[in-house]
């Protein structure tokens, strides 16, 4: 008698598996941004990593006054000769922050420093290296320096050169940062440069998370103690904590939950009453001790997905009351992969971000990667620049779904499409870096 085999995660082609892009599309239609009323006003230093809930319009012109881009002499371009040289009288010096209160007439010029305000009557700066300066040697100061009284210039400087016009970078009233932007250090500096000290942002998202599994020992109670047979330290909750912290959400740690129906139920009620998003790890496969999906079906609306991906085939998504729920697999690497690919974009979308897809680029793969067609694969990689300047990526050794070391060495995921049948050294591959650039 032959054994009748059931579909399993060992299969590459399993008819019921849901392609990752389809799952992402379904998620995007169910996970909607916070409403425009759920906002607060914060100081710009508190606004780092927060998401703008209204456009920032510039209250001023930038630069706010027409100024010199170089050290030199401000003059009227009509004084510059088509051929030969001209001698101009120098009226004084315009420093940055100390304008010279004069109107420059024909035949006159003003010495000007970078950032100095252009005096009325001038439109061009001739850099100091391009003039011959004449000094008032009869009136030396104590340091033995004397004032420039005249300059001799030629016609080689084009009219308007070396001048930054008021409003050249930004016009007053112009949109500078759009709603839905997650603010980076450059945005904080930009806001300050406009004199803006407060902005409107969406409120912080509250995310609750817990681990499931009778085999797990929590660090809070078991750190430094010997593990009993069949026991292991709970790592997923700490990985989740760290990944969520990077997203700038408010964290609610529910702890380790035992593999019983009652404990799982209680954890869901506890988490969903406090949070916008609930994340669990473990207990979502079809095992006897897997209570997450069953509990969810009882308490809320759950979709249990078998994804065409490796690692991380089982994933549950649903709603418990108003809270969005993500049931991640138990395997530590699968937790990280499903978090980066599914949970992170969803949380960003809920936070009001308009940019939610993971950053991605193409790199030249230096490793040979074994793969059979059927499921999209996320291998752990290290991207770096090769000697020729090209971006290359190599795999971080053995790729077992439980090996957190392969993840800890990595700085990106190498994403290999479902239909791909293996990567040869030199092939271009798609890479998702773990962190953004800023
Ligand atoms: P499960 O999906 O609950 O069957 O878990 C799959 C595998 O991941 C098992 O080997 C678990 O022991 C392991 N695992 C589950 N949760 C955790 C956790 N929080 N920390 C470390 N390993 C875990
Ligand atoms: Mg389990």
């Amino acid at each position: 008698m032959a054994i009748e085999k059931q579909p399993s995660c060992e299969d590459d082609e399993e008819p019921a598996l849901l392609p990752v892009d389809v799952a992402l599309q379904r998620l995007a239609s169910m996970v909607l941004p916070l409403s425009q009323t759920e906002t607060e006003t914060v100081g710009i230093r508190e606004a780092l990593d927060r998401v703008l809930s209204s456009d920032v319009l510039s209250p001023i012109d930038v630069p706010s006054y027409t100024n010199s881009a170089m050290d030199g002499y401000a003059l009227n371009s009509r004084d510059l000769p088509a051929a030969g040289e001209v001698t101009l009288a120098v009226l004084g010096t315009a420093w940055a922050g100390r304008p010279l209160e004069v109107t420059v007439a024909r035949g006159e010029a003003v010495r000007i420093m970078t950032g100095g305000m252009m005096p009325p009557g001038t439109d061009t700066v001739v850099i100091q290296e391009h003039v011959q300066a004449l000094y008032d040697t009869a009136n030396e100061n104590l340091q033995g320096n004397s004032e420039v009284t005249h300059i001799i210039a030629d016609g080689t400087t084009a009219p308007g050169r070396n001048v930054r016009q008021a409003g050249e970078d930004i016009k007053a009233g112009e949109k500078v940062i759009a709603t839905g932007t997650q603010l980076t250090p450059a945005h904080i500096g930009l806001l300050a440069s406009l004199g803006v000290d407060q902005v409107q942002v969406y409120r912080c998202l509250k995310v609750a998370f817990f681990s499931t599994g009778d085999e797990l020992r929590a660090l809070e109670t078991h750190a430094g103690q010997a593990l009993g047979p069949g026991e292991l330290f709970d790592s997923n909750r700490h990985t989740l904590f760290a990944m969520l912290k990077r997203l700038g959400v408010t964290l609610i740690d529910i702890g380790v939950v035992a593999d019983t129906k009652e404990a799982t139920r209680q954890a869901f009620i506890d988490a969903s009453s406090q949070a916008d998003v609930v994340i669990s790890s473990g207990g979502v496969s079809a095992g006897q001790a897997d209570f997450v999906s069953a509990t969810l079906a009882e308490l809320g609306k759950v979709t249990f997905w078998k994804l065409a991906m490796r690692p991380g085939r089982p994933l549950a998504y649903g709603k418990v009351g108003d809270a969005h729920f993500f049931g991640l697999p138990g395997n530590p690497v699968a937790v990280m992969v499903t978090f980066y690919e599914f949970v992170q974009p969803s949380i960003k979308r809920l936070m009001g971000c308009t940019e939610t897809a993971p950053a991605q680029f193409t790199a030249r793969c230096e490793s040979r990667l074994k793969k059979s067609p059927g499921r999209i694969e996320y291998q752990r990689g290290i991207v770096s620049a090769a000697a020729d300047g090209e971006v290359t990526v190599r795999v971080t050794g053995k790729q077992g779904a439980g090996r957190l070391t392969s993840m800890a060495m990595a700085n990106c995921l190498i994403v290999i499409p479902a239909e791909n049948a293996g990567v040869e050294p030199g092939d271009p591959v798609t890479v998702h870096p773990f962190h953004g650039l800023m």
Side-chain angles (χ1 to χ4, degrees), residues 42-52 54-60 62 170 174-178 181-201:
V42 296
I44 58 168
R45 289 192 175 189
E46 277 69 60
L48 181 63
D49 293 335
R50 301 291 297 271
V51 181
L52 273 190
S54 58
D55 293 340
V56 172
L57 309 183
S58 179
I60 56 169
V62 179
I170 303 166
E174 199 177 301
K175 187 203 287 189
V176 251
I177 316 177
T181 305
Q182 189 166 29
L183 299 173
T184 66
H187 293 122
I188 307 304
L190 175 59
L191 289 164
S193 76
L194 303 176
V196 174
D197 66 336
Q198 293 190 324
V199 283
Q200 242 202 23
V201 294

Side-chain angles (χ1 to χ4, degrees), residues 62-302:
V62 179
S64 59
Y65 57 94
T66 301
N67 67 90
S68 177
M70 301 288 277
D71 291 345
Y73 293 86
L75 46 76
N76 186 324
S77 57
R78 282 182 296 171
D79 275 339
L80 294 176
E85 293 171 346
V86 65
T87 301
L88 302 173
V90 175
L91 302 179
T93 304
W95 303 86
R98 260 193 287 153
L100 189 66
E101 308 273 335
V102 294
T103 297
V104 176
R106 299 296 302 273
E108 296 176 340
V110 159
R111 187 167 168 240
I112 195 162
M113 298 303 159
T114 304
M117 184 167 157
M118 294 289 284
T122 65
D123 62 6
T124 301
V125 170
V126 180
I127 64 173
Q128 61 193 11
E129 292 82 353
H130 289 183
V131 301
Q132 187 189 335
L134 307 176
Y135 294 90
D136 177 13
T137 45
N139 282 308
E140 283 186 359
N141 65 15
L142 292 173
Q143 286 80 42
N145 297 321
S146 47
E147 290 292 319
V148 175
T149 61
H150 292 82
I151 51 166
I152 303 173
D154 61 19
T156 52
T157 303
R161 271 304 290 271
N162 306 316
V163 176
R164 298 188 282 226
Q165 300 295 333
E168 177 180 293
D169 294 349
I170 303 166
K171 294 257 181 302
E174 199 177 301
K175 187 203 287 189
V176 251
I177 316 177
T179 302
T181 305
Q182 189 166 29
L183 299 173
T184 66
H187 293 122
I188 307 304
L190 175 59
L191 289 164
S193 76
L194 303 176
V196 174
D197 66 336
Q198 293 190 324
V199 283
Q200 242 202 23
V201 294
Y202 289 103
R203 71 168 170 82
C204 272
L205 210 66
K206 289 178 287 227
V207 181
F209 54 102
F210 57 89
S211 296
T212 70
D214 284 340
E215 74 281 29
L216 303 177
R217 291 293 164 263
L219 287 193
E220 291 86 339
T221 48
H222 288 72
Q225 295 180 22
L227 290 169
E231 296 179 351
L232 54 112
F233 291 117
D234 166 27
S235 62
N236 288 344
R237 210 158 35 92
H238 300 280
T239 321
L240 280 172
F241 170 90
M243 293 189 295
L244 287 165
K245 198 161 165 70
R246 277 262 158 79
L247 291 180
V249 297
T250 303
L251 300 163
I252 305 165
D253 187 344
I254 305 284
V256 175
V257 175
D259 284 326
T260 67
K261 204 162 173 216
E262 196 34 52
T264 309
R265 207 183 127 82
Q266 200 48 53
F268 272 116
I269 292 169
D270 196 14
S272 62
S273 63
Q274 303 178 60
D276 302 296
V277 176
V278 177
I279 305 171
S280 70
S281 70
V284 282
S285 10
Q288 298 252 309
D290 294 337
F291 293 102
V292 168
S293 312
T295 309
L296 250 186
E298 192 190 303
L299 289 177
K301 245 183 89 191
V302 60

Side-chain angles (χ1 to χ4, degrees), residues 374-389:
R375 294 202 256 165
I376 187 169
E377 249 180 68
Y378 298 87
Q379 299 209 6
R380 278 65 75 200
I382 301 170
V383 272
S384 54
D388 63 4

